[in-house]
Amino acid sequence: MEVVVARTRDELVRARAAMPGRVAVVMTMGALHEGHAALIRAARQAADSVLVTVFVNPLQFAPGEDLDRYPRTFDEDLQICEREGADVVFAPTEDVVYPQPALVRISAGPLGDVLEGAVRPGHFEGVLTVVCKLLQLTIPDVAVFGEKDAQQLALIKLMVRDLDLGVAILGVPTVREPDGLALSSRNRYLSADERLTALALSAALRAGVESAPDGPDAVLAAARGFLALVDGVDVDYVACVSEPEFADLAGSSYSGPARLLVAARVGATRLIDNVRVAIG
Ligand code: PAF
């Protein structure tokens, strides 16, 4: 069946009312790739009907970030949604999502100020505000997000818990190229040489995982040590956090489920990646 495209709030209300059974939403900023396709497939498994949102949210970009050049590929996005069996695509313009400037926003709390939040102040406030609005507009039973944005996923779970939003949140593992590069809409900014350099991020994570039996500091030292040997990677942070709390494990003797995260610039492109690691 052909996917229904809703551009306005009225069109969304009509399309949503016609969706049978349990509804899953997949929120995206477009520029869809196989990682998003995996989210749509997971949504299909989790519910009877699937709604994909495509909206580049200005609120989560700081001045000077890549809002203006963020890839917009709606025709290809629609093909992927159709191929993966999405039922509805909500693709609003900015004035549909923000008919008035968003004066009231969702504070991300302490987890919003560290790691990505420390490098990108205000980013998670913008993410949570639009995610909350899109949940209100699409009224799903379940919302599906990628583990690639692990801190975002942790914060969305916290928001749903703390604000009693009554929706199930499903995390889906990161999809990688055969050589390890995590799929990202921003990979298309990379030149061929930069793409090769960018492989250092996933390789550093693998190096960290190998040191898991020796504790958090060994994991961090292995990942950082790997990156220090690579030219052309400008590291923002390497961190190891407990799951699901996302507590910083540096200097601790923690053992248990954790996540190793890296953020770095390769050329002008900022990339993030992470892996699960069982410490101890
Ligand atoms: O992960 C993303 O693509 C965005 O942060 C999201 C969740 C769609 C909110 O704009």
Side-chain angles (χ1 to χ4, degrees):
M1 251 197 10
E2 212 173 85
V3 65
V4 172
V5 178
R7 297 269 186 193
T8 66
R9 288 178 179 230
D10 284 348
E11 286 170 4
L12 175 64
V13 168
R14 278 197 294 276
R16 174 66 184 83
M19 295 176 85
R22 281 169 55 80
V23 172
V25 68
V26 178
M27 296 182 193
T28 80
M29 298 206 298
L32 302 190
H33 49 64
E34 284 307 306
H36 297 105
L39 299 184
I40 300 172
R41 283 196 291 276
R44 281 235 72 89
Q45 297 281 319
D48 305 296
S49 304
V50 175
L51 194 160
V52 178
T53 68
V54 176
F55 177 61
V56 183
N57 173 37
L59 228 56
Q60 68 190 73
F61 290 80
E65 288 188 346
D66 59 347
L67 172 62
D68 292 336
R69 70 180 188 118
Y70 197 84
R72 285 153 172 94
T73 58
F74 188 65
D75 292 343
E76 291 90 332
D77 295 347
L78 210 52
Q79 280 173 19
I80 292 178
C81 289
E82 223 150 47
R83 187 191 78 199
E84 298 302 337
D87 301 288
V88 175
V89 171
F90 179 45
T93 48
E94 192 179 330
D95 57 316
V96 169
V97 176
Y98 299 110
Q100 301 86 26
L103 300 180
V104 174
R105 301 182 187 192
I106 300 217
S107 159
L111 180 54
D113 292 334
V114 297
L115 303 171
E116 280 304 283
V119 182
R120 305 181 68 188
H123 171 67
F124 286 121
E125 184 183 88
V127 169
L128 294 187
T129 301
V130 81
V131 168
C132 186
K133 281 169 75 73
L134 291 171
L135 288 173
Q136 296 298 112
L137 291 169
T138 60
I139 326 167
D141 299 285
V142 51
V144 181
F145 296 91
E147 288 181 2
K148 163 90 176 9
D149 295 296
Q151 192 177 359
Q152 166 176 288
L153 176 58
L155 278 164
I156 290 169
K157 286 181 177 166
L158 281 179
M159 171 179 75
V160 166
R161 184 197 73 180
D162 291 351
L163 301 184
D164 300 310
L165 295 185
V167 60
I169 301 297
L170 180 65
V172 174
T174 301
V175 178
R176 297 180 181 280
E177 303 275 11
D179 58 11
L181 186 70
L183 296 194
S184 162
S185 303
R186 290 186 169 100
N187 288 351
R188 64 189 81 196
Y189 299 153
L190 299 168
S191 69
D193 282 352
E194 288 170 345
R195 194 194 168 288
L196 272 180
T197 306
L199 293 177
L201 272 71
S202 52
L205 294 176
R206 287 197 299 277
V209 168
E210 278 173 27
S211 293
D214 301 324
D217 286 341
V219 168
L220 287 166
R224 286 179 182 143
F226 187 97
L227 288 169
L229 298 175
V230 182
D231 282 340
V233 181
D234 185 7
V235 178
D236 275 340
Y237 60 80
V238 177
C240 189
V241 298
S242 63
E243 282 207 315
E245 304 82 5
F246 237 81
D248 186 2
L249 296 177
S252 81
S253 55
Y254 176 89
S255 74
R259 200 162 280 271
L260 177 61
L261 309 123
V262 60
R265 273 162 228 280
V266 176
T269 306
R270 188 162 183 282
L271 299 170
I272 59 173
D273 198 356
N274 68 81
V275 283
R276 239 180 236 175
V277 44
I279 301 204

